[in-house]
Amino acid sequence: MTARATGETPTDRRGQRRATDSKWRTAVTCIEPNKILLRGYPLDEVMGRLTFGEAIYLLLVGEVPSPAIGSLLEAMLVSFIDHGATPPSTLAARNTATAGAPLRACVAAGVLGFGRYHGGDIEACMQFLHDGMEQVRHGASYRDAADRLVLRCLESGDAVPGFGHRYHTRDPRAARLFQMALELEVEAEHIQMIRAVEMMLEERRPENEPPLPVNIDGAIAAVCGDLGIPASVADALFIISRVPGIASQALEERDRNEPMRQIDPKDHVYDGQSERRLPERRK
Amino acid sequence: MTARATGETPTDRRGQRRATDSKWRTAVTCIEPNKILLRGYPLDEVMGRLTFGEAIYLLLVGEVPSPAIGSLLEAMLVSFIDHGATPPSTLAARNTATAGAPLRACVAAGVLGFGRYHGGDIEACMQFLHDGMEQVRHGASYRDAADRLVLRCLESGDAVPGFGHRYHTRDPRAARLFQMALELEVEAEHIQMIRAVEMMLEERRPENEPPLPVNIDGAIAAVCGDLGIPASVADALFIISRVPGIASQALEERDRNEPMRQIDPKDHVYDGQSERRLPERRK
Amino acid sequence: MTARATGETPTDRRGQRRATDSKWRTAVTCIEPNKILLRGYPLDEVMGRLTFGEAIYLLLVGEVPSPAIGSLLEAMLVSFIDHGATPPSTLAARNTATAGAPLRACVAAGVLGFGRYHGGDIEACMQFLHDGMEQVRHGASYRDAADRLVLRCLESGDAVPGFGHRYHTRDPRAARLFQMALELEVEAEHIQMIRAVEMMLEERRPENEPPLPVNIDGAIAAVCGDLGIPASVADALFIISRVPGIASQALEERDRNEPMRQIDPKDHVYDGQSERRLPERRK
Amino acid sequence: MTARATGETPTDRRGQRRATDSKWRTAVTCIEPNKILLRGYPLDEVMGRLTFGEAIYLLLVGEVPSPAIGSLLEAMLVSFIDHGATPPSTLAARNTATAGAPLRACVAAGVLGFGRYHGGDIEACMQFLHDGMEQVRHGASYRDAADRLVLRCLESGDAVPGFGHRYHTRDPRAARLFQMALELEVEAEHIQMIRAVEMMLEERRPENEPPLPVNIDGAIAAVCGDLGIPASVADALFIISRVPGIASQALEERDRNEPMRQIDPKDHVYDGQSERRLPERRK
């Protein structure tokens, strides 16, 4: 995210140095008449050559992703794209839609409906895994480091960040993401650490309590960690990934329901497509 | 966007009919324990098989796009992804960032910074082209229909929606999008109509005025029209496409500048990567 | 709202004319070191001398309100301050609060939860009354003008702006506001017109339908009209007046409920203070 | 903010206990057909009897303020109502306005433009003063407690919360608020503590540095502390107080400037009313 001196900035030419030194700088996108450079690449050349997901990575990280990183990134963005009608962010957007507000107001309200308890686990889990890996770097085994992390949560009463889900006992998105990381050979120490924590949680689980599996926040945190993506960019990816879901839910609210209705999140039924398989060419 | 009766809804089973008839319905995403269906497709199967762009189309339109539509969609999403530091939406986000607000607040403020004069042209241009095609359907030539559309704007003093840009005299994104639509063989009557309008604007251009080329809003409106994408979905695509740019600009504001600074939009300089070419494999 | 040349602007001094002519202008608040002028009045002198309501009027309209206008303004701001837990704006704020977002995000989401069907009636009703008074100015009686306005709504199928409420058959806030306007002797043609419309709606009411009384939006529209407050300022007053309610509801959501709960708007019960009277000194 | 059992809740009546026990509760506003109770008071009786400022206190705190508290509250709300065209929140709102967004979107963007560095000092300063008073309770003098607080900031490099301003070397709003607190006889230990800190900062000030006076955040924090207003309510008061300013600035942007302009915060000039005195009756 930080700017690197490139040797091509206008400050090189002596006569302009004073003038540009007082200006503020941006390294994201260069706009000139009839030319747009996205991190240096002409935008019209990027169109048709990079996918939207790859262009998101280029924008946030500064470089075109490798094929493996690109695939994982698309999968992460897809994994979070929607989670039905009941997340608070979706309900904030639907309540805004039922009042007859424009779509951009609904989307903004939806984005505001993330908070400490909703979408905040990615950054917390990245810090958590980072703490564990610090211990490994100082000689602890993954198993011992994981044990200490879990005990710390148990003692403080805090939830273990990146684990557990109010609907799922096994988060299908997390499992798929780990499988892809393995196949694409990007699995490294963050994933190893989160798996060690998962095992430790299972060992220490009281008999009458349900298992506490890695959730999608945890999986994304671990994968982002292994890809070298900083926490602030992971947070951006999370927000970006859910906007299409928020927009779809707001449009559906507007199209299928009476305005000014009272939305009970529990009182709905799914009446869409029944389960189906992707067309052959996409497998 | 409207729901179709699928025969598989829970209302089929007689005993539940009364109970579910009073419930509200959603057809976007089905959530069951350990299962998430996105428009009918298991989300973990979609991960790694559809790109984020294709999943966005699936979510908004209800079906997996054909390869040609998928390619154009990615290009449209990429075309709008960022436009530097000066659009009002970006400045709303940067001013929010300089106050030390969290990233989600910056993104929400950025999304709110779209308005009638900024990002509103896609829906207006779709209506404009639609009006022209109504005339064609009633027997007018494209040329005559375009002439009437242009005259209507000239008489009312309204801007021609989808034309002109404060920086570009030839919008490189629009040119590239039309070229792709041609190559992918999806070019149809909306693109034909917008080209007729462009020609008519050139013919009627007073000698001392600059040309008024199709801008990216106009190009997206025409392409969405030819792809059968409704205006509300085109509006959603526009919002979705710019969120990564807003997030990148907000993160850069936070990382590179002092908090609480006074942001003069004109007083900046680009110090990022100089112009470069995509790696060979992406051409 | 428009600026008047005051003779004291810096452009008066010849030498600076060029410099300031290119600057943009503001007439709301003047900031100098250790001095803040609110529409010309030193802010520290305003503190303790004008109420918050009066200062709001000063800021939006440019002058200190007369005692009668000040009283009505306070009453209008109070009338809209909250309407319980079920308006969409309040639910957008509560859903944002349950996700653990900061208060400012909850308030922003709440403000976004106003829309065409919620809070939009004030501006529509002001236009509606204006149309009626145009007819009166051209010779129609209030009764005839009202009849035409009502018929126009009946024919187009549009709701009559400023009339009807989903809870109240007689809106106690509207009744009180009209009573105050009468007592304070500011009642004029807008209130006369809205009363004529109310009478006409009652006359034309089908036997089996409930009465359609003036609601608080209609009352505020009529009073603002008689006070010479433009529609854009009336819209601002509406937003300002509900922010305390949104904030209170968001704080209560945070203080009294579990995070990440599913908020069913219909499933709540009031457990606050039972009905009571204001202390003697306030009557 | 927490609910107190009042003996009048529906749970008292045995037959309803089960039904209401599963419901969620609210104590802010009771809505029944043709009746609205604000913290127990009929809203139509509150109109004309409490000012907007007093009704805000009633809503947030639960009771009608005493005359002294009411006066201070109005003064606090007025003190923050606007600070010209340059705060980040105002610029977020103005950039939203120049894009042609509706007023409610501008206000929401403005509210989002508060952050850690802008408007966040009230809560931080309340905690800071609280820490000092803990020491006083354990036997320290105000002077010693203040000295330790200041040293802690100096050692950590943190700013002293509630002190200093980028424009003012003596904040006229803070001075006026303390004067009013003294006259209204509500000055107590929080104000005493902040004055002790101010004195200590002056004593320890290096010769070449400017004085660091109490700013309005600090004054509000101290006064709220002495009034027993909790930090979350103080935060709400801050947001509420600035909304009229944000709305006024957004309306002015819309009325006086070209759409889609590039807003340089430093490049403006005040052309409003020159300094004037309040009418005699308001002194």
Side-chain angles (χ1 to χ4, degrees), chain C residues 3 24 26-27 29 34-35 39 47 52 54 74 82 168-169 176 252 264 269 275-276 282, chain D residues 24 26-27 29 34-35 39 47 52 54 74 82 168-170 176 252 256 264 269 275-276 282:
Chain C
W24 59 275
T26 179
T29 302
N34 304 336
K35 184 188 274 193
R39 299 286 184 186
M47 290 167 65
F52 184 46
E54 291 169 319
E74 302 274 9
D82 195 49
H168 309 302
T169 55
R176 173 75 174 132
E252 194 195 52
D264 174 5
V269 67
E275 192 167 343
R276 53 181 172 167
R282 311 308 311 230
Chain D
W24 60 274
T26 179
T29 303
N34 304 336
K35 185 188 270 191
R39 298 286 184 185
M47 290 167 64
F52 185 45
E54 291 170 319
E74 302 275 9
D82 195 49
H168 309 302
T169 53
R170 178 185 169 279
R176 173 75 175 133
E252 193 195 54
R256 296 192 69 183
D264 174 4
V269 67
E275 190 167 345
R276 51 181 173 167
R282 309 310 310 233

Side-chain angles (χ1 to χ4, degrees), chain C residues 129-130 133 188-195 221-223 225-226:
Chain C
L129 298 176
H130 179 82
M133 269 149 37
E189 53 186 354
H190 292 79
I191 294 179
Q192 209 173 331
M193 178 58 70
I194 206 168
R195 286 196 182 287
V223 171
D226 279 350

Side-chain angles (χ1 to χ4, degrees), chain D residues 128 131 147-161 201:
Chain D
F128 178 80
D131 292 353
D147 203 24
R148 271 179 236 154
L149 289 178
V150 168
L151 281 175
R152 196 178 69 185
C153 288
L154 287 175
E155 279 161 17
S156 67
D158 292 343
V160 188
L201 282 168

Side-chain angles (χ1 to χ4, degrees), chain A residues 88 113-121 166 217, chain B residues 104, chain C residues 96-101 254 257-261:
Chain A
F114 300 124
R116 198 151 36 112
Y117 308 112
H118 178 32
D121 252 14
R166 55 178 178 165
D217 297 53
Chain B
R104 45 204 74 181
Chain C
T96 305
T98 197
R254 199 160 81 178
N257 294 291
E258 288 295 299
M260 289 302 283
R261 75 183 182 103

Side-chain angles (χ1 to χ4, degrees), chain A residues 1-24:
Chain A
M1 237 41 205
T2 47
R4 280 152 303 165
T6 60
E8 290 91 10
T9 70
T11 54
D12 281 4
R13 289 178 45 205
R14 204 158 269 187
Q16 294 189 3
R17 191 179 292 257
R18 211 190 314 269
T20 55
D21 270 6
S22 70
K23 290 181 187 292
W24 59 275

Side-chain angles (χ1 to χ4, degrees), chain C residues 76-107:
Chain C
M76 282 196 287
L77 288 167
V78 167
S79 73
F80 239 101
I81 198 168
D82 195 49
H83 200 265
T86 66
S89 51
T90 304
L91 290 165
R94 279 190 177 262
N95 275 292
T96 305
T98 197
L103 183 61
R104 45 203 76 180
C106 303
V107 169

Side-chain angles (χ1 to χ4, degrees), chain A residues 97-100 253 257-262, chain C residues 86-88 113 117-119 166:
Chain A
T98 198
E253 179 64 36
N257 293 291
E258 287 296 298
M260 290 303 283
R261 76 182 180 103
Q262 303 256 301
Chain C
T86 66
Y117 308 113
H118 178 33
R166 54 178 179 165

